[in-house]
Amino acid sequence: MNGSEGSVRDVLAANLKRVRTRKGLSLSELSRRSGIGKATLSQLESGTGNPTIETVFSLARELDVPISDLVDRRPAAGLTVVRAAEVEVLAGEGVDLRHLRRIESGDSVIEVYDQQVRAGCTQDSLGHAGTEHTVVQSGRLGVTVDGRQVELGPGDYVGFDAGSPHSYTALDGTVHSVLLLHYRAEQKPHLNDPGFGSKGAHRSV
């Protein structure tokens, strides 16, 4: 997201308030469900907070929406070019994510991310909606899904149900990879909502 389109912080502020309101949730109720402090949520909705991967994924899980509903907006029609240097980083304990594109096809949604796992770090996830796909570009990546461990090198691919607890570990220096999150209608009932895909100027994609 470049400066002309608004920062991740600004887009999240608009999207979070819109989605929360559409779900009929108060800040207090969303705080209770997500385990995120009410003051933190208020800051995120006002655009003064500092969103992390853990926070955004937790909110997407509790609000039952794709992650891009919170951090993306609809790109212009025609040729779309996303420059790495212009995309703001969403950082977590061990991972830096750059959201590149959201693609809608029928009842499916695909989110495309540039993902870097920092050297010597691990990123844990309790699980979230969708199917997760990762292709390693450089480095060696350790992936644990529901207790099963695999090791990937450049060109290797892994896919799994993202609802299972999982983690990524950089085994030998920083790992560069492409992350795809795929949501199908049967996984996400809200994709059949007539309002999905037309939720205002700040709506993802």
Side-chain angles (χ1 to χ4, degrees), residues 30-166:
L30 181 56
S31 174
R32 184 189 69 79
R33 293 188 183 188
S34 66
I36 299 170
K38 183 178 178 180
T40 298
L41 291 176
S42 180
Q43 289 175 344
L44 291 175
E45 287 197 359
S46 66
T48 60
N50 184 29
T52 65
I53 289 174
E54 293 83 8
T55 298
V56 172
F57 275 54
S58 177
L59 288 171
R61 183 170 60 248
E62 295 306 323
L63 290 168
D64 193 33
V65 295
I67 295 156
S68 56
D69 269 23
L70 300 179
V71 299
D72 194 19
R73 67 171 71 209
R74 186 177 298 276
L79 177 67
T80 300
V81 177
V82 181
R83 302 292 185 189
E86 298 176 348
V87 180
E88 209 171 341
V89 172
L90 186 62
E93 292 181 355
V95 166
D96 294 324
L97 283 182
R98 291 176 175 84
H99 183 266
L100 301 178
R101 188 70 191 269
R102 168 175 164 141
I103 303 167
E104 295 188 30
S105 177
D107 289 334
S108 292
V109 171
I110 299 171
E111 300 169 349
V112 184
Y113 297 88
D114 169 69
Q115 177 176 256
Q116 296 186 22
V117 186
R118 297 190 291 276
C121 292
T122 295
Q123 182 74 40
D124 295 312
S125 173
L126 295 175
H128 50 84
T131 304
E132 194 152 330
H133 308 265
T134 295
V135 180
V136 175
Q137 297 170 298
S138 65
R140 300 205 67 79
L141 180 66
V143 182
T144 301
V145 181
D146 204 16
R148 181 181 178 186
Q149 299 179 359
V150 296
E151 183 176 325
L152 305 178
D156 291 344
Y157 159 87
V158 66
F160 54 89
D161 179 356
S164 300
H166 54 277

Side-chain angles (χ1 to χ4, degrees), residues 156-192:
D156 291 344
Y157 159 87
V158 66
F160 54 89
D161 179 356
S164 300
H166 54 277
S167 66
Y168 289 140
T169 301
L171 300 175
D172 183 18
T174 298
V175 176
H176 296 261
S177 59
V178 174
L179 169 67
L180 303 177
L181 293 180
H182 179 208
Y183 307 90
R184 297 187 301 272
E186 60 267 29
Q187 293 173 304
K188 301 296 296 173
H190 86 281
L191 294 179
N192 292 320

